DNA sequence: GCCGTATTCAACCTTATGGTTGAAAAAGGC
DNA sequence: GCCTTTTTCAACCATAAGGTTGAATACGGC
């Protein structure tokens, strides 16, 4: 499957169990069994989660006897951070400029209502 | 459906079309029709994508005649960035300390192999 | 060589997701 | 009042995702 890197990373982190796994791996490497311990699900399910994380490049596994310690690869976070920050900055820059325009606007010109909002969240 | 905020945000950004929409909205607000233009898919599909983004709090829609301009809500990015940076920093901190330990380790002590790696990425 | 432990593979089930088409709703233009 | 434009709703379809159980594989301990 040819999924682009960012998609796999975001998708991997969209699951709360996998985010929790990442959080725990940030503290220390751990084996599949150890990781599976606190969750309700089977070890197999956690193994699947780890494969998703591995395919996204977020973790790697080594071999140590029968155990296969899982290790967090924090560098991949950069890809995400860069993407996010890029558009966040771009958007913020745009609002700043909009504010400038509004501030410089002469009084007789009717500005478009400054983004009226209305989320429609409550359905 | 009671999906937690971070899950909806990451999940929303896991789709390349939706990321592209976000990228374009960072430049300027746009209507559903305008947004749908460059893609192969139907307007309805884009409308669905926008609902996903809206449920994640990433965009909001106002009303302006029949048009419903879509607006990027960049603040939500913070939630992600905070999550990411927290664990990235934690992980990096850990490696820094590990390096210290290894450096301070007396020669007669056999250290555990310093994370042998072996991504297994190539499947 | 056999046993136990750790992990993965395979087959299967259920639900979510992204897409489609076709109809309905909302609001202005005349 | 009707037509047009923009957007959403509804029903449907195919496939991916997350979970299960049960069997297979990989190693180290004796």
């Amino acid at each position: 499957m040819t999924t682009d890197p960012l998609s796999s990373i975001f998708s991997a982190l969209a699951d709360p169990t996998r985010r929790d796994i990442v959080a725990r791996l940030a503290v220390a490497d751990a084996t599949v069994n150890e990781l599976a311990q606190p969750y309700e699900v089977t070890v197999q399910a956690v193994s699947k989660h780890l494969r998703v994380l591995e395919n996204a490049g977020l973790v790697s596994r080594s071999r140590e006897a029968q155990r296969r310690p899982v290790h967090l690869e924090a560098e991949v976070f950069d890809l995400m951070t860069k993407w996010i920050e890029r558009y966040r900055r771009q958007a913020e820059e745009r609002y700043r400029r909009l504010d400038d325009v509004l501030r410089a606007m002469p009084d007789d010109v009717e500005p478009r209502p400054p983004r009226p909002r209305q989320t429609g969240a409550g359905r």
Side-chain angles (χ1 to χ4, degrees), chain A residues 36-98:
Chain A
Q37 208 67 321
Y39 310 122
E40 298 274 276
V41 301
T42 60
V43 184
Q44 289 96 317
V46 174
S47 182
K48 280 192 181 183
H49 279 310
L50 287 174
R51 179 151 68 197
V52 174
L53 289 170
E54 188 176 25
N55 287 340
L58 281 160
V59 306
S60 63
R61 280 122 132 187
S62 47
R63 180 162 279 293
E64 190 178 277
Q66 313 99 301
R67 266 146 250 109
R68 306 197 17 69
V70 183
H71 173 79
L72 185 64
E73 297 289 339
E75 307 91 58
V76 192
F77 285 172
D78 289 350
L79 218 69
M80 259 189 304
T81 311
K82 266 183 198 130
W83 189 91
I84 297 167
E85 287 309 308
R86 171 174 176 187
Y87 295 114
R88 205 248 298 268
R89 223 173 302 126
Q90 203 169 329
E92 277 167 359
E93 166 74 7
R94 184 155 74 86
Y95 305 151
R96 203 179 51 64
R97 268 184 288 124
L98 178 64

Side-chain angles (χ1 to χ4, degrees), chain A residues 1-5 7-8 11 51-52 55:
Chain A
M1 206 193 306
T2 45
T3 336
D4 64 299
S7 292
S8 356
S11 179
R51 179 151 68 197
V52 174
N55 287 340

